[in-house]
């Protein structure tokens, strides 16, 4: 088989296109596959009607390497003159419109991007950062354009910080599939309203519940746009607030003890933040004495552990009674941060009880949280908000990202 036929076969080049020549540049470690289009009328890319040729433009596309040699497909691409649509470049079967890469090459880049950072992919495939970023951005655009109208029953809303925690995005996901449906700017009501406004009345009426943090902007946007959906304050977020209150108690007490020369609480932060069953055995022993002590943080911790077990109730009546008991216990605790946490719980109790009623588990918010962490770690930081948003859609959007080309 001659090299022209070989390349035509492995690249899937077929009539009206054919491989005219294959040039190997040994010094530059490059292969140029020259492809030509046979004479005659061609379909208009807009309407599909067969039209006369107008002129042609020389173009090239990076393709999969031939061994270690970078391989390019080169062609004079004809333009046709359509009576209805005017002059247009014809579609080529190996690449999407406007791309400098063949569809197969873009698929390779997309596959690698699922496993590695833009920097790593660029280095391995000998591309520039911007080229890889461009393929990623187009993949997301394509995936979003293809996505069928979503019908989430329960959605999860969360804010995520990036760039040294000063900037935020609002993320909306489908609680059942875990797919990210929307990423909005900042953590204002507008970020969530943008998503709600994109839904049809039918889509809106299908949303039974919205799980979120106790964040006024999200609550207000949801009450306004989805008045029939239940607002759910999930375990992940509520326990985060209570855990932060425990840590405040610990910090203040540690400072007071240190002033008296007592180092009991030095280095104890994670003992009190970690769930007890997740502690290593030797840490558990260490913790036991602290927990049984008369320290303020021991009482705060007991409150937190009790609250953790209130999520197990299946019956609304029991759940309400026990949460109310917890609130009054916390308010009598003489620990200011715990009293404030109790007031927050009291003000949001209906939404907390909705977590019991709807059975929305911790998995939604916690799962999203850990997947976002993975996206962040892989990228080692994001230059700007758009890049962060794109990466979230790319990795967590459940989108069909690959280019599709047809002759
Ligand atoms: Zn046309």
């Amino acid at each position: 088989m001659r090299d022209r036929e070989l390349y035509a076969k492995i690249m899937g080049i077929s009539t009206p296109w054919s491989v005219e020549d294959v040039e190997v540049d040994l010094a530059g470690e490059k292969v140029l596959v020259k492809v030509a289009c046979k004479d005659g009328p061609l379909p208009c890319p807009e309407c599909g009607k067969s039209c006369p040729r107008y002129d042609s433009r020389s173009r090239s596309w990076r393709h999969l390497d031939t061994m270690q040699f970078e391989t390019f497909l080169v062609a004079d691409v004809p333009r046709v003159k359509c009576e209805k649509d005017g002059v247009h470049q014809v579609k080529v079967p190996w690449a999407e419109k406007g791309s400098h890469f063949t569809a197969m090459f873009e698929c390779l880049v997309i596959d690698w991007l699922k496993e590695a950072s833009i920097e790593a992919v660029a280095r391995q495939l000998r591309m520039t950062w911007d080229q890889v970023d461009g393929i990623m951005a187009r993949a997301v655009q394509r995936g979003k354009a293809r996505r069928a109208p979503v019908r989430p029953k329960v959605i999860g809303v969360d804010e995520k910080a990036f760039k040294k925690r000063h900037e935020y995005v609002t993320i909306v996901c489908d609680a059942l599939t875990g797919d990210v449906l929307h990423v909005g700017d900042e953590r204002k009501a507008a970020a969530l309203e943008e998503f709600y406004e994109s839904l049809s009345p039918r889509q809106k009426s299908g949303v039974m519940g919205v799980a979120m943090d106790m964040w006024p902007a999200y609550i207000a946007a949801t009450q306004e746009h989805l008045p029939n959906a239940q607002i759910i304050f999930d375990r992940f977020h509520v326990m985060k607030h209570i855990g932060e209150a425990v840590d405040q108690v610990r910090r203040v007490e540690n400072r007071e003890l240190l002033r008296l020369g007592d180092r009991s609480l030095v280095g104890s932060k994670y003992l009190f933040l970690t769930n007890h069953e997740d502690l290593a055995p030797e840490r558990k022993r260490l913790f036991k004495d602290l927990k049984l002590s008369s320290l303020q943080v021991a009482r705060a911790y007991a409150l937190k552990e009790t609250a953790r077990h209130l999520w197990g109730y299946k019956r609304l009546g029991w759940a309400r009674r026990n949460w109310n008991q917890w609130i009054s216990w916390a308010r009598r605790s003489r620990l200011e941060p715990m009293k404030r946490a109790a007031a927050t719980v009291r003000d949001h109790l209906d939404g907390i009880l909705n977590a019991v009623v709807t059975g929305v588990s911790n998995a939604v918010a916690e799962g999203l949280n850990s997947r976002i962490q993975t996206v962040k770690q892989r990228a080692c930081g994001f230059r700007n908000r758009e890049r962060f948003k794109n990466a979230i859609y790319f990795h967590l959007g459940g989108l069909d990202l690959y280019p599709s080309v047809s002759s």
Side-chain angles (χ1 to χ4, degrees), residues 44 46-49 51 82 84-85:
C44 161
E46 302 293 312
C47 68
K49 206 183 125 208
C51 298
C82 172
K84 188 164 125 297
D85 301 303

Side-chain angles (χ1 to χ4, degrees), residues 50-160:
S50 192
C51 298
R53 303 274 190 108
Y54 183 73
D55 61 2
S56 65
R57 297 279 161 95
S58 175
R59 295 201 44 199
S60 82
W61 298 262
R62 169 103 187 256
H63 189 60
L64 304 178
D65 290 1
T66 307
M67 307 300 172
Q68 74 275 33
F69 285 16
E70 278 181 29
T71 300
F72 294 85
L73 203 153
V74 186
D76 286 332
V77 182
R79 297 201 301 170
V80 290
K81 190 173 183 181
C82 172
E83 279 174 11
K84 188 164 125 297
D85 301 303
V87 175
H88 285 282
Q89 193 164 72
V90 299
K91 281 184 193 154
V92 295
W94 53 82
E96 277 195 344
K97 191 180 167 191
S99 176
H100 297 289
F101 305 94
T102 66
M104 279 172 80
F105 189 83
E106 290 204 29
C107 289
L108 175 76
V109 172
I110 289 167
D111 282 343
W112 273 117
L113 276 172
K114 289 179 180 169
E115 312 280 337
S117 68
I118 294 182
E119 285 82 357
V121 176
R123 202 166 50 237
Q124 290 303 322
L125 298 178
R126 288 170 287 180
M127 300 169 72
T128 66
W129 195 95
D130 287 326
Q131 285 174 330
V132 181
D133 181 58
I135 288 179
M136 186 171 181
R138 276 204 307 280
V140 168
Q141 253 174 23
R142 184 189 294 136
K144 282 164 80 176
R146 279 177 189 162
R147 182 162 66 189
V150 292
R151 301 230 177 282
K153 286 197 173 68
V154 177
I155 59 177
V157 183
D158 219 336
E159 50 165 69
K160 289 289 169 234

Side-chain angles (χ1 to χ4, degrees), residues 108-345:
L108 175 76
V109 172
I110 289 167
D111 282 343
W112 273 117
L113 276 172
K114 289 179 180 169
E115 312 280 337
S117 68
I118 294 182
E119 285 82 357
V121 176
R123 202 166 50 237
Q124 290 303 322
L125 298 178
R126 288 170 287 180
M127 300 169 72
T128 66
W129 195 95
D130 287 326
Q131 285 174 330
V132 181
D133 181 58
I135 288 179
M136 186 171 181
R138 276 204 307 280
V140 168
Q141 253 174 23
R142 184 189 294 136
K144 282 164 80 176
R146 279 177 189 162
R147 182 162 66 189
V150 292
R151 301 230 177 282
K153 286 197 173 68
V154 177
I155 59 177
V157 183
D158 219 336
E159 50 165 69
K160 289 289 169 234
F162 69 105
K163 240 185 167 182
K164 298 193 183 109
R165 312 204 136 263
H166 294 308
E167 289 192 56
Y168 289 88
V169 294
T170 293
I171 302 176
V172 181
C173 72
D174 182 322
L176 294 179
T177 63
D179 290 341
V180 169
L181 306 176
H182 178 75
V183 189
D185 295 337
E186 304 182 58
R187 47 176 173 170
K188 297 181 179 147
L192 189 50
E193 279 165 354
E194 194 182 21
F195 172 71
Y196 290 152
E197 280 161 8
S198 76
L199 301 177
S200 68
R202 203 174 141 214
Q203 283 171 303
K204 279 187 191 173
S205 66
V207 181
M208 320 296 282
V210 185
M212 62 172 81
D213 197 358
M214 299 173 282
W215 181 243
Y218 294 162
I219 297 169
T222 304
Q223 282 170 339
E224 192 190 329
H225 291 266
L226 300 182
N228 297 320
Q230 284 188 314
I231 292 180
I232 303 158
F233 302 121
D234 55 76
R235 175 176 168 169
F236 175 79
H237 286 109
V238 174
M239 290 313 298
K240 202 171 120 194
H241 284 276
I242 297 176
E244 281 162 7
V246 174
D247 195 49
Q248 277 170 29
V249 172
R250 188 199 61 83
R251 280 205 312 260
V252 171
E253 192 171 31
N254 183 35
R255 262 202 305 274
E256 283 165 8
L257 289 175
L258 281 176
R259 244 199 320 266
L260 302 169
D262 182 340
R263 298 179 56 81
S264 310
L265 285 177
V266 171
S268 66
K269 178 172 179 178
Y270 291 99
L271 290 176
F272 288 99
L273 286 181
T274 311
N275 293 332
H276 187 252
E277 57 270 27
D278 298 336
L279 286 175
E282 70 276 12
R283 307 284 281 170
K284 266 187 190 157
R285 275 193 297 279
L286 179 70
F287 191 41
K288 202 172 148 213
D289 296 337
L290 281 177
K291 221 172 47 171
L292 296 173
S293 67
S294 56
L295 291 169
Q296 292 180 1
V297 66
R299 279 189 287 135
Y301 182 79
L303 275 163
K304 186 191 100 174
E305 285 299 291
T306 307
R308 275 182 61 214
H309 292 101
L310 296 179
W311 299 90
Y313 289 104
K314 301 269 179 286
R315 302 267 289 274
L316 183 61
W318 280 106
R320 186 188 296 278
R321 207 164 309 149
N322 282 283
W323 271 110
N324 278 326
Q325 268 174 17
W326 184 89
I327 292 166
S328 53
W329 177 24
R331 292 178 76 192
R332 290 194 312 266
S333 68
R334 286 172 283 123
L335 305 168
E336 282 311 313
M338 300 315 290
K339 284 161 75 176
R340 281 196 298 273
T344 306
V345 166

